[in-house]
Amino acid sequence: MRATVPGSASGRASTPVGPARAALVGVLALQGDVAEHVAALERCGTHVREVRRPEGLDGLDAIVLPGGESTTIGRLLESSGLLAPLRAAIAGGLPVFATCAGLILLSDEVIDHTGTPTLGGLAVTTRRNAFGRQIASFDARLDVRDVPGGPVDVSFIRAPRIEALGSDEVEVMAELDGRPVVVRQGHITAMACHPEVAGDDRMLAAFLARLPDGPDAQAR
Ligand code: GLN
């Protein structure tokens, strides 16, 4: 547990005075770039659990939805029994950090969708493979709101495009060529790109800092 400053009005420290409790963060490990996300979380100092079954959701402080193939992940969500409990956990406020295929799975509407199961919960319309094929993948540097230290290095790999925002609750955290590519809706942070491939951990660190026990929790 984080130590608190004696006498602080909220009973919680605004400045940590002891070691923070490392969060337990799950990585949905059905398909995709699971290893890259596990490595990024370990670099950020969290506990990490690969989640393959419904029991894996127990006790998590947050979950990462990796990039990969959203249709495959959707089918495996159903066959593993994770689809309904993960949907419920996210609807119940489990913080989520989602990249690329993860964004597709969370989107309330998907264009060019094949009818495989998705999670939903994020009020955006997303178009799969909007930037072209694998060969059209590219790296970029994004100015991300709330991420200090200059532009973040990311990769776009058969990336989806966020075509429309469906709620005032969706905040645009970064744009590319005037279009949203990183969005936040309350406890959900989702992006069309991959920061974990380039190894720039600052967006992930900003997400972790906003977890209920994290140093930036009070700033919300
Ligand atoms: N194009 C993939 C899909 O439709 C996403 C690609 C990725 O996650 N890098 O799921």
Side-chain angles (χ1 to χ4, degrees), residues 66-71 99-102 104 128-129 157-160 194:
E69 181 48 55
S70 57
T71 53
T99 63
C100 204
I104 296 169
R128 290 181 62 224
N129 301 329
I157 304 169
R158 281 191 310 124
H194 293 268

